[in-house]
Amino acid sequence: MAEILEFPGFIDVHVHFRDPGIPEAETTASGLASAARGGFGAVVTMPNTLPACDSVELLDYQRKIPSPVALYPSVAITKGRNGKELVDMEALAEKGAAFFTDDGSYVSDDKLMEEAMFRAAKLGMCVADHALDPRIVGSGVIRDCPLARRAGLAVIPASAETEAIRRDISVCRTTGCALHIQHISTAEGVALVAAAQREGLPVTAEATPHHLLFACDELEMDDANFKMAPPLGTKEDRCELRKAVKEGSLMFATDHAPHPARTKTVGFARSANGIIGLEIAVASTYSVMVLEEGMDVDAWARAWWEMPRKVLSKAVLSDLDRLRPVTRVTAGEVKRTDVSSFASLSRNCPYDGMEFDGWPQAR
Ligand SMILES: [Zn+2]
């Protein structure tokens, strides 16, 4: 028997709407329509638009479309996300930015990251990091796995993530600034975050549906719909991610990353990173975590609505408290994913035909 469950509005703290930049992949309007169909009450857009969201003008530009889903832009840490010069953090905080991140780019300069986190801490804001050190990633596109060896694909070692997380946690310890690790993918990274949380540091992290569903050692074909940054982990990584979500150490976020077919169908080595996820996020995480892993359904929901609040600015939280969105989920009814029906303008994902329970009502 299907049952309707009702929760405070789910919040996705990690979406890419390609506006301004690549409107054929996603506009703010199509991204919000995708989020509404995915059952979300609010989304946080990433600043790796073209140009990067590093100014008050671009922050305002993204907030212009009316929608049943609230949109809160995050803003860059550095100008143009170039990793060299900090943005006007005080002005952007004042104008209601959700948090700071150079998502898509790791801030490699330790001193600059420290200064950013000192200033963010003073503002009571969180700094989120795409913890993947490009100096270790090199030309890698996938973790070591049978497909990588068979297809001769350059490998990304797990240390690209774990060294970045180690550095970030050490800056968090020095500055006291709230730190959020985006899309965590390795067992060791999960352990580092859990240890920091036990130490009492203000550290949060997110797991994406794709890192919870798939593993690199199960990949059979050179299909770029499984290419993302960070790359899919091993089965062991996936197991630790699921455990950490169940134990309440990680929240969910999609890293919804639309791309036009022309940049996503040119093989693993050359295709862009990332897949769309807003319209399967709720059902896929419900199916994996509640039905397969036996996670308590309220704890699962809190990883979508309560935990994400920890990374949001006071301005965003007070707006959310005013709006009080609601997310409704139908439990006990399995449906097949039909990617052709998505509201997103992009189709880059491997979910077509997959069966999930726990589909959200569109908002
Ligand atoms: Zn991202």
Side-chain angles (χ1 to χ4, degrees):
M1 259 292 281
E3 182 192 358
I4 310 278
L5 311 173
E6 191 173 301
F7 306 101
F10 287 5
I11 305 166
D12 185 354
V13 295
H14 192 150
V15 304
H16 298 268
F17 295 166
R18 309 299 191 187
D19 189 2
I22 319 169
E24 66 186 292
E26 202 80 286
T27 61
T28 304
S30 69
L32 284 167
S34 182
R37 209 166 166 277
F40 286 96
V43 293
V44 177
T45 50
M46 291 299 110
N48 61 343
T49 46
L50 298 169
C53 185
D54 61 1
S55 68
V56 169
E57 291 68 41
L58 284 156
L59 176 66
D60 283 337
Y61 170 82
Q62 291 193 47
R63 294 191 283 208
K64 64 186 190 310
I65 307 274
S67 165
V69 181
L71 183 154
Y72 303 114
S74 67
V75 293
I77 300 171
T78 64
K79 288 186 183 163
R81 296 171 49 250
N82 65 7
K84 293 199 169 72
E85 192 187 345
L86 297 182
V87 296
D88 188 343
M89 298 179 78
E90 291 70 21
L92 288 160
E94 156 91 34
K95 288 291 178 187
F99 53 79
F100 296 100
T101 177
D102 268 3
D103 182 58
S105 305
Y106 173 66
V107 180
S108 301
D109 182 334
D110 302 346
K111 278 280 150 226
L112 197 67
M113 187 64 164
E114 197 173 297
E115 193 194 331
M117 289 181 72
F118 263 124
R119 279 168 66 180
K122 267 197 208 151
L123 295 162
M125 299 269 290
C126 175
V127 170
D129 199 27
H130 183 102
L132 206 55
D133 190 329
R135 295 162 297 192
I136 305 177
V137 171
S139 58
V141 294
I142 190 170
R143 290 279 297 283
D144 186 25
C145 62
L147 171 66
R149 278 168 251 149
R150 225 174 30 245
L153 299 169
V155 162
I156 302 176
S159 60
E161 176 174 282
T162 54
E163 288 308 307
I165 293 176
R166 244 185 261 283
R167 192 284 308 265
D168 287 346
I169 289 174
S170 122
V171 181
C172 169
R173 196 180 284 117
T174 313
T175 60
C177 180
L179 168 70
H180 180 65
I181 304 294
Q182 298 177 297
H183 41 41
I184 195 164
S185 70
T186 61
E188 200 190 336
V190 166
L192 289 168
V193 165
Q197 290 171 339
R198 279 196 302 275
E199 190 186 327
L201 295 174
V203 175
T204 53
E206 68 196 28
T208 68
H210 47 271
H211 288 108
L212 293 166
L213 282 165
F214 309 120
C216 61
D217 26 27
E218 290 174 347
L219 298 180
E220 282 167 9
M221 286 177 347
D222 184 341
D223 178 355
N225 278 329
F226 293 98
K227 182 185 180 187
M228 50 278 298
L232 292 177
T234 61
K235 281 189 259 188
E236 190 211 332
D237 292 318
R238 179 176 63 190
C239 175
E240 292 304 311
L241 275 175
R242 289 184 180 193
K243 250 195 247 170
V245 170
K246 201 172 166 185
E247 284 163 7
S249 174
L250 304 177
M251 67 187 74
F252 298 118
T254 62
D255 192 11
H256 176 83
H259 290 291
R262 67 184 157 80
T263 59
K264 201 56 185 170
T265 51
V266 286
F268 224 97
R270 288 166 51 228
S271 289
N273 280 312
I275 57 174
I276 55 171
L278 276 167
E279 291 168 71
I280 55 85
V282 170
S284 63
T285 56
Y286 178 87
S287 298
V288 165
M289 293 310 306
V290 177
L291 299 183
E292 273 185 53
E293 299 291 334
M295 186 175 185
D296 171 70
V297 69
D298 288 313
W300 162 78
R302 282 197 298 276
W304 271 124
W305 71 266
E306 188 180 55
M307 294 175 76
R309 292 175 61 95
K310 289 186 189 165
V311 305
L312 302 175
S313 63
K314 286 194 193 80
V316 167
L317 289 177
S318 69
D319 196 56
L320 266 176
D321 289 341
R322 179 181 63 81
L323 293 170
R324 295 180 157 276
V326 168
T327 291
R328 288 186 190 85
V329 173
T330 307
E333 195 179 345
V334 174
K335 275 196 241 165
R336 191 179 285 266
T337 308
D338 176 11
V339 172
S340 72
S341 73
F342 280 7
S344 171
L345 294 182
S346 288
R347 295 289 177 261
N348 56 300
C349 68
Y351 300 120
D352 199 46
M354 285 181 75
E355 291 192 334
F356 300 119
D357 195 338
W359 291 91
Q361 287 183 4
R363 300 194 72 253

